Amino acid sequence: MLRPRPRQIPVLETPRLRLRSLEPADSAALFAIYGDPAVMQYASDEPFPDEATVTIMLHSVADLLAAGEEVEWGIADKTTDRVI
C-alpha cells in the first residue's frame, strides 16, 4: 500500500511575523499557550495538563497535514521564531 507523501506548507512572512508549520521545537511555547487557563477559557478544550499533550497534538497536526485533511499554521515572532 502506498503511503501518502508528507505535505509541506509554505512559509509566509510579514515585517514582524512568520506563518509556518508547527515543529517539535515549539513544544514549550505551545504549552505556554495551551496550558494557560486564561488563554483557554473560551476554547472548546480544557487547558493542556502537561507538555506531553502538546506532543500528542503535534503528531495529530502532522498526520492531518499528511492526509491532506487539515493545515495548521504556527504564528511566530519573526525576530525570535517563537510561536506566539
Side-chain angles (χ1 to χ4, degrees), residues 34-73:
Y34 286 101
D36 186 332
V39 172
M40 297 297 287
Q41 70 180 339
Y42 300 109
S44 59
D45 297 320
E46 294 293 316
F48 286 8
D50 50 42
E51 204 169 316
T53 308
V54 174
T55 301
I56 294 167
M57 181 196 80
L58 289 173
H59 284 282
S60 176
V61 166
D63 290 345
L64 290 167
L65 178 64
E69 294 178 20
E70 192 172 303
V71 173
E72 292 201 30
W73 297 82

